[in-house]
Amino acid sequence: TQLLEQSPQFLSIQEGENLTVYCNSSSVFSSLQWYRQEPGEGPVLLVTVVTGGEVKKLKRLTFQFGDARKDSSLHITAAQPGDTGLYLCAGEYGNKLVFGAGTILRVKS
Amino acid sequence: DAGVTQSPTHLIKTRGQQVTLRCSPKSGHDTVSWYQQALGQGPQFIFQYYEEEERQRGNFPDRFSGHQFPNYSSELNVNALLLGDSALYLCASSSNRLDRLTNYGYTFGSGTRLTVV
């Protein structure tokens, strides 16, 4: 059984602070995807990382895939209230996505 | 370009009843996956349909079944509903034909909120 451990589960920070969310597993995934989900909506894809050691930047968000393709991190610089939401990591394993439990991020102004 | 469409958006059923949820994939997508998301948890994979056949199945009982139609739309059926089946059911579509390097990632619908009482 493939498992993804995501941490922290909950993060409450002030506007302008930096934060990092981690996603770890003992399984190797063909890709690692990060999603953001708003209440009452489905997850929306932010980024996909495929190659071990890959780093992708999306404005203030930086995503990294571990060298062994078992772990990933999401770093947000200068967080804004609009970043508030549920962040989910998902590893692609065969034809399925294995999701972490999610990180609830709250950015206070 | 319409994304993934799911219906209904909300549903209340009684224990023991049966329910059918529907999903229309994003235009150009031919593969449909279903996920169950309990409150406070990440989505759990139920199964995936491609070419009208179940291609892979997660750890869910046989009470959960599905179907894919020639137009790529899909249905999720759950029989003998239990209180524990209450969750957000998400449909995700993807393409098996496009270059995976440029088409990674799935498009999710907004889900069907199922409440079993």
Side-chain angles (χ1 to χ4, degrees):
Chain A
T1 302
Q2 302 76 35
L3 294 173
L4 265 176
E5 294 184 358
Q6 192 170 340
S7 63
Q9 289 183 308
F10 182 77
L11 203 52
S12 181
I13 61 173
Q14 290 294 135
E15 181 177 2
E17 293 184 356
N18 302 331
L19 66 114
T20 302
V21 178
Y22 299 93
C23 198
N24 297 289
S25 176
S26 58
S27 301
V28 176
F29 296 101
S30 55
S31 75
L32 201 296
Q33 301 169 19
W34 285 90
Y35 292 83
R36 178 176 163 182
Q37 186 176 21
E38 301 293 338
E41 298 292 329
V44 175
L45 179 68
L46 295 174
V47 78
T48 300
V49 284
V50 178
T51 306
E54 182 176 4
V55 177
K56 280 191 176 179
K57 292 190 175 183
L58 185 65
K59 296 183 180 179
R60 293 178 293 101
L61 279 60
T62 301
F63 305 85
Q64 185 165 4
F65 202 10
D67 291 340
R69 307 210 322 271
K70 294 181 179 180
D71 55 270
S72 181
S73 64
L74 158 61
H75 182 79
I76 300 179
T77 303
Q80 299 176 0
D83 295 328
T84 293
L86 173 66
Y87 290 81
L88 294 161
C89 64
E92 187 174 19
Y93 194 87
N95 296 310
K96 68 179 181 182
L97 291 177
V98 177
F99 280 88
T103 295
I104 297 173
L105 172 64
R106 179 185 171 196
V107 183
K108 295 175 285 186
S109 57
Chain B
D1 182 20
V4 177
T5 304
Q6 290 189 244
S7 64
T9 55
H10 296 82
L11 203 52
I12 299 176
K13 289 286 190 178
T14 305
R15 276 180 300 174
Q17 284 189 315
Q18 178 264 344
V19 68
T20 297
L21 310 181
R22 296 175 175 81
C23 171
S24 293
K26 180 180 178 179
S27 177
H29 285 183
D30 56 6
T31 303
V32 173
S33 305
W34 287 91
Y35 290 81
Q36 180 195 66
Q37 186 175 23
L39 203 59
Q41 297 182 21
Q44 299 291 316
F45 176 75
I46 302 176
F47 42 53
Q48 184 182 86
Y49 276 83
Y50 172 66
E51 292 189 334
E52 302 180 46
E53 291 189 356
E54 184 183 289
R55 181 156 70 172
Q56 187 169 351
R57 188 180 183 91
N59 190 26
F60 279 79
D62 292 343
R63 298 186 297 109
F64 290 78
S65 63
H67 189 77
Q68 186 178 34
F69 299 93
N71 67 352
Y72 308 121
S73 67
S74 177
E75 289 183 349
L76 164 65
N77 301 291
V78 187
N79 295 321
L81 284 167
L82 304 174
L83 295 179
D85 295 331
S86 295
L88 179 67
Y89 287 85
L90 295 164
C91 170
S93 73
S94 57
S95 173
N96 197 66
R97 294 170 295 178
L98 297 178
D99 182 9
R100 292 291 286 166
L101 288 177
T102 58
N103 195 46
Y104 269 100
Y106 296 73
T107 301
F108 282 82
S110 296
T112 294
R113 172 70 63 185
L114 173 65
T115 302
V116 182
V117 297

